[in-house]
Amino acid sequence: MSDDDNSPISAREAKLLFAELKSAPALVLAVSGGPDSVALMWLAARWRRSLARGPELIVVTVDHGLRAEAAREAREVKRLATELGLTHRTLRWRGAKPATGLPAAAREARYRLLAQAARAAGASHVLTAHTRDDQAETLLMRLLRGSGIAGLSAMARHATRDGLVLARPLLDVPKSQLIATLKRAGIGFADDPTNRDAAFTRPRLRALLPQLAAEGGDARTLVRLSARLARANVAVEVLTDGAERFLRLRDRGDAPQPDVRSFEAAAFATLPEEVRLRLLLRAIDAVGHEGPAELGKVETLLAAIDQAMRDQGISARSRAPVNSRAILKQTLAGALISLAGGRIHIAPAPARRSRNGPKGG
């Protein structure tokens, strides 16, 4: 991309943004009507016209039913999509809306509807218009929530969701370049006031970015940090993969139990703390039935396991006599974690009993 954050995106630059998608059968473009997504649609349409053969482009607008202007904005997206020779669909988020956590619920509904549209169209990818600015805001949000390395890696250029590839071709592009591109092309776009609503976290952080930039923490710097953390995260994941193989080799000859993860405690103790955390997270998420485990709770669990092993004299350098009695037993995210017989076991936890007890026949 150009070093000038206010220059329009050239046809050559756009070709590079979408080049890896050339062989896809069809692509769904998530277009709300704002400048970022309208620029995504316009750039993708120009790129597709330059190809002799390429993917079908389907534009999808999700009307969350939260603003009166949304229906009009969807019609405007449809008008522009038609001018560009693209198929357009408007999908609506129906049903009651939550009183709290509305942005997260709306985001989940949006991705669910986009995935449905992609499957119906035979598309392999859903494209969203997340920009470099969005990446910087996401890093700040996760930093304030105390995310670990994986979370601070922020958004990936490609991710798998609902069996589809979620692609963000504009993730390295500043919003200002997209606006400059639309202005040169004479294309209008909608202004969503919720993007400035201080009732929500992201707009409040967005308002702080100019002050951070004045101190050297502009979007480019923040995104560079997230990229470096993403690089570190990949390295730690490779180490964790190796640790899993190491622990399995220690269990040679022992038949694994289905739906149960088990580690030799003394071997587990030899591993770095971050790797042990990830091993526990993987195991709990694999066998638990109450959603992904929270990092902070897994950290507390690991501290309890470490203390229980110290109490039993189990360490990386020595091994206590095997005690078959469980000396630690906790549940987390639908998994039962125990320390017994010199081993750490992670198995599905028993289903919670109903408050009213089992129903009679």
Side-chain angles (χ1 to χ4, degrees), residues 91-313:
L91 302 179
R92 292 175 177 80
W93 181 26
R94 304 188 186 279
K97 308 301 189 288
T100 59
L102 184 59
R107 183 170 57 252
E108 286 302 312
R110 177 171 177 252
Y111 282 125
R112 184 180 68 253
L113 291 169
L114 288 169
Q116 290 173 4
R119 283 192 288 269
S124 57
H125 294 66
V126 172
L127 274 59
T128 66
H130 291 103
T131 66
R132 188 171 73 191
D133 304 70
D134 296 317
Q135 184 78 311
E137 294 162 11
T138 298
L139 172 67
L140 289 176
M141 290 179 69
R142 294 182 181 180
L143 179 66
L144 295 177
R145 291 173 183 169
S147 294
I149 296 175
L152 294 177
S153 301
M155 294 181 285
R157 187 175 174 85
H158 297 96
T160 302
R161 189 183 182 107
D162 297 324
L164 298 163
V165 177
L166 180 64
R168 302 178 175 101
L170 306 181
L171 198 56
D172 296 326
V173 180
K175 184 187 190 78
S176 55
Q177 271 202 286
L178 299 180
I179 292 176
T181 301
L182 293 178
K183 286 183 176 179
R184 171 170 287 186
I187 297 173
F189 50 84
D191 178 26
D192 184 351
T194 60
N195 288 329
R196 299 185 302 276
D197 189 344
F200 301 118
T201 303
R202 189 176 285 272
R204 291 198 299 271
L205 290 176
R206 186 174 296 139
L208 291 175
L209 282 172
Q211 298 174 52
L212 291 175
E215 299 295 336
D218 59 6
R220 190 188 298 271
T221 301
L222 293 173
V223 169
R224 186 184 303 122
L225 172 61
S226 72
R228 288 170 174 168
L229 290 169
R231 192 170 63 215
N233 184 61
V234 170
V236 179
E237 281 292 285
V238 171
L239 290 175
T240 306
D241 291 341
E244 280 190 319
R245 291 191 293 271
F246 163 70
L247 293 174
R248 282 198 299 270
L249 286 172
R250 301 283 297 187
D251 294 337
R252 194 175 344 196
D254 295 339
Q257 301 179 52
D259 298 327
V260 175
R261 303 293 187 273
S262 180
F263 311 131
E264 181 189 343
F268 182 79
T270 66
L271 302 170
E273 183 176 1
E274 180 67 22
V275 172
R276 287 183 287 141
L277 277 170
R278 293 185 184 223
L279 288 170
L280 288 175
L281 269 168
R282 288 183 181 187
I284 292 168
D285 289 346
V287 307
H289 49 76
E290 294 181 4
E294 295 179 22
L295 176 59
K297 293 181 178 180
V298 179
E299 288 171 335
T300 301
L301 170 66
L302 179 59
I305 291 173
D306 286 347
Q307 184 60 54
M309 288 197 295
R310 284 193 294 270
D311 291 344
Q312 291 293 306

Side-chain angles (χ1 to χ4, degrees), residues 1-4 7-19 43 46 169 173 177 181:
M1 297 304 299
S2 169
D3 291 334
D4 182 357
S7 64
I9 297 172
S10 68
R12 178 178 174 277
E13 289 171 333
K15 185 177 181 179
L16 295 175
L17 291 173
F18 298 105
L43 289 167
R46 184 174 65 172
V173 180
Q177 271 202 286
T181 301

